[in-house]
Amino acid sequence: MQLIIKEDKLQKYRDHIQIGGELTVKDKVLFDRYFFAFTQLLDGKSERQVVELLMNTPEPIGQLKQSQAYNVVNGAQEIFGKLDVGNSKKVAQRYIYATRLEEMALKLENMAHTMVADNMIQFEDGEGNVVTKSDPEIVKEAGVLLGKSADVQMKAAKIRGLLEKDKVENPNKFKASPNIIFTDDLDALDLLREIEDGSYEDVTGDEGETEEDQATAAGA
């Protein structure tokens, strides 16, 4: 009998939550649907209510057929149900806060670029050519916005745990422990000292030694 192992196609979403695994653009849309369904279930809504939300919510989260919506609800429970149950709500909240911060950072960045683009200065140079230049004051204000955007992104990264240092093993952990002998027998200590200080005989044999030499040595 051949053993058939069904591939868990939802594991990539758990990896995305737990270790930041990469998702394709299509998978990211699906993950947002699963996550939306999961947060609605956490808020106390029934499966039927979440299905109706997925059918009526605007795209890209919603506007699903009933069968698709049920698949999303079941998938959400499969994804998050296999995670640490006691930590699931915390994971969800962290993801929500981080996502909102990232959206805010993107808005600030877009505002900065729009400000600069909409406030260009045009003037003629000495040869009659029209030159377009950024307004220095606007560029300065845009720089402040970009700085705030970067700060918000850092906060989002911190929430996601991306700023935590990777654990480094202590190299001393792999060092061999010294042999420690507890004894009050002075003769035993003298014997141990003789072993440590004494000369050693190579009993591994000479690489150039032939089988005939070994046989002769054995006969001797």
Side-chain angles (χ1 to χ4, degrees), residues 20-199:
E22 292 291 333
L23 294 177
T24 65
V25 175
K26 181 179 178 181
D27 287 339
K28 180 66 169 61
V29 173
L30 293 174
F31 177 77
D32 288 342
R33 288 175 182 166
Y34 290 131
F35 189 78
F36 173 81
F38 175 65
T39 54
Q40 298 305 313
L41 292 170
L42 281 180
D43 287 340
K45 291 184 176 62
S46 67
E47 292 184 10
R48 176 63 188 172
Q49 288 174 317
V50 179
V51 167
E52 291 176 353
L53 277 173
L54 288 167
M55 292 171 65
N56 299 313
T57 299
E59 294 180 335
I61 297 295
Q63 296 299 302
L64 303 180
K65 295 179 181 179
Q66 188 181 64
S67 59
Q68 293 175 319
Y70 269 111
N71 287 337
V72 170
V73 172
N74 292 334
Q77 294 178 85
E78 276 290 308
I79 292 169
F80 292 92
K82 290 187 179 180
L83 299 176
D84 181 359
V85 177
N87 197 40
S88 292
K89 192 166 186 177
K90 183 178 179 182
V91 169
Q93 290 172 337
R94 284 166 64 94
Y95 183 84
I96 290 170
Y97 292 139
T99 300
R100 287 179 178 172
L101 285 171
E102 289 164 349
E103 290 173 351
M104 184 189 301
L106 181 59
K107 287 180 180 178
L108 289 171
E109 188 175 336
N110 290 336
M111 284 174 61
H113 292 309
T114 301
M115 282 176 57
V116 174
D118 292 347
N119 292 276
M120 304 295 284
I121 302 173
Q122 289 187 339
F123 61 92
E124 290 187 5
D125 61 10
E127 300 178 357
N129 299 317
V130 178
V131 179
T132 303
K133 185 178 180 182
S134 303
D135 185 336
E137 290 299 321
I138 297 298
V139 170
K140 186 176 179 180
E141 292 179 21
V144 173
L145 284 178
L146 290 173
K148 291 180 178 179
S149 173
D151 184 54
V152 172
Q153 288 184 62
M154 290 294 287
K155 290 178 180 178
K158 185 175 182 180
I159 289 175
R160 291 190 183 277
L162 300 178
L163 302 184
E164 296 176 2
K165 292 183 178 180
D166 294 333
K167 183 179 178 182
V168 179
E169 291 285 357
N170 184 352
N172 293 327
K173 175 181 177 181
F174 302 101
K175 288 184 178 179
S177 301
N179 293 323
I180 301 176
I181 301 174
F182 296 94
T183 180
D184 56 0
D185 186 345
L186 296 180
D187 292 337
L189 290 175
D190 289 338
L191 177 61
L192 177 63
R193 197 173 292 112
E194 288 179 9
I195 293 173
E196 291 179 342
D197 296 340
S199 58

